Amino acid sequence: MEVLKSLWAKTPDGKWTITDLHGVKASPCSGCEPDYFTIADRMEMMPRNARGRSVEEVVQAMGSTNLVLKQSIVPVVALVTGESELRVIGTAFIVSASGLVMTAGHVLMDPEDTGYGNVTNDKGAIRFGQDLQMGVLFPLHPAIHGPGAIRFAPFQLCAYWGGWRVSPLFHERDRMELDTDVAICRLPPHPSGAYQLRALVDLAIGAGAS
């Protein structure tokens, strides 16, 4: 099985375009089961054509298999002001060069479901308190930022499909009811100008994929 990574760039007129494709092979480590395994690490050299790219862009498009995949599948976290720990509440996939991510709708509902972050109902929409930040963590390239460096990217805007449900039962609290368990969120601009070098749409291909 492989994960298809697409590399993007902006044209002079400001439009995004795919400049390269790279298949990241998901091979099992030695001794792992064939159906559930740790992915073997190897060096991934994604850009075949470095023309027009900065040195930083070229470096960021290279790295271990582990790093490349972690840039595509990122943890969703919630941070409440004054607390010393992050809550890891789900995962997301970065699906556009401009910083759109897709996650499950119930992930965004975690503060409302479990009672933190001062969540309120604003005319049928969920509003989180000012002391709550939600977003994703993604790794920074160790060659540029040092080993183990990560960045928190807060959600600037989230969209989901559903509405506030007022319960007629005194023992049941009002709650958000989702029409579909999908949410799209926007991240702030990437520190290097584009998310395509870190996380893009992933397509599973190969035997057994559909």
Side-chain angles (χ1 to χ4, degrees), residues 112-200:
E112 196 272 331
D113 289 337
T114 56
Y116 64 90
N118 191 27
V119 180
T120 57
N121 169 26
D122 182 9
K123 299 179 181 178
I126 288 289
R127 299 293 181 190
F128 300 117
Q130 294 184 354
D131 62 339
L132 173 64
Q133 289 190 80
M134 296 179 68
V136 302
L137 295 177
F138 61 91
L140 299 175
H141 202 286
I144 298 174
H145 301 278
I150 59 173
R151 181 181 293 272
F152 171 68
F155 293 148
Q156 294 185 322
L157 181 68
C158 297
Y160 53 86
W161 290 263
W164 192 262
R165 180 179 180 274
V166 178
S167 175
L169 304 175
F170 70 89
H171 66 281
E172 183 181 70
R173 66 184 180 87
D174 299 343
R175 60 186 175 84
M176 175 60 65
E177 190 170 88
L178 296 170
D179 296 332
T180 182
D181 197 18
V182 175
I184 303 295
C185 304
R186 176 173 293 280
L187 302 178
H190 192 280
S192 298
Y195 279 92
Q196 79 276 5
L197 296 177
R198 298 192 179 277
L200 299 168

Side-chain angles (χ1 to χ4, degrees), residues 33-71:
E33 296 291 333
D35 295 329
Y36 185 76
F37 55 84
T38 300
I39 296 174
D41 239 1
R42 65 189 185 98
M43 180 59 67
E44 304 290 343
M45 308 287 286
M46 290 190 285
R48 293 189 295 269
N49 180 11
R51 182 179 298 176
R53 300 181 187 274
S54 67
V55 173
E56 184 178 2
E57 287 176 330
V58 173
V59 171
Q60 288 177 346
M62 303 176 184
S64 68
T65 305
N66 186 43
L67 175 66
V68 168
L69 294 180
K70 283 183 176 179
Q71 291 168 346

